[in-house]
Amino acid sequence: QVQLVESGGGSVQAGGSLRLSCTASGSDFRINFVDWYRQAHGKQRELVASMTRDNADVADSVKGRCSISTDNAWSTVYLQMDALKPEDAAVYYCYVYVWTPSKGSQYYWGQGTQVTVSS
């Protein structure tokens, strides 16, 4: 079983920066694919960034301002957000694809972390 814990959200002024993190814990697993999604109040969930062992990409809405990365062990995934705008305000979720020898492919959602952008 894999557990995800998100952190790094908060309230910032427009133009500020945040780094969100999504940390996985458990036994005998390998993360192969990670997505970051966000859902603003009253709107549908939106894909923000994706990362595999081979490549990474971000959505046009955050291109040039956000980047996705991991630590060397692929146990923690980050979303660096700069030059934040009010329209970036949302709950951000990580979505993680893992492989385990006993269970095979599994998918997990983080609990979400709130980002608020003011002024």
Side-chain angles (χ1 to χ4, degrees), residues 9-94:
S11 180
V12 299
Q13 293 184 336
S17 297
L18 287 172
R19 189 179 73 163
L20 310 183
S21 64
C22 177
T23 299
S25 62
S27 300
D28 198 16
F29 67 91
R30 172 185 168 93
I31 296 174
N32 289 323
F33 190 101
V34 177
D35 291 335
W36 282 98
Y37 287 83
R38 68 185 181 187
Q39 187 164 21
H41 182 71
K43 296 185 177 181
Q44 67 184 57
R45 190 164 295 185
E46 173 190 18
L47 179 66
V48 178
S50 297
M51 188 172 183
T52 70
R53 295 279 180 166
D54 297 322
N55 56 70
D57 196 15
V58 299
D60 289 341
S61 60
V62 299
K63 186 178 181 179
R65 301 185 297 113
C66 297
S67 62
I68 185 171
S69 63
T70 69
D71 63 358
N72 290 334
W74 270 70
S75 62
T76 299
V77 183
Y78 303 98
L79 183 68
Q80 178 69 43
M81 301 188 294
D82 301 314
L84 284 163
K85 303 175 180 179
E87 52 262 43
D88 295 319
V91 178
Y92 284 73
Y93 301 90
C94 59

Side-chain angles (χ1 to χ4, degrees), residues 97-107:
Y97 168 98
V98 304
W99 169 264
T100 66
S102 59
K103 303 294 184 181
S105 298
Q106 294 181 286
Y107 306 88

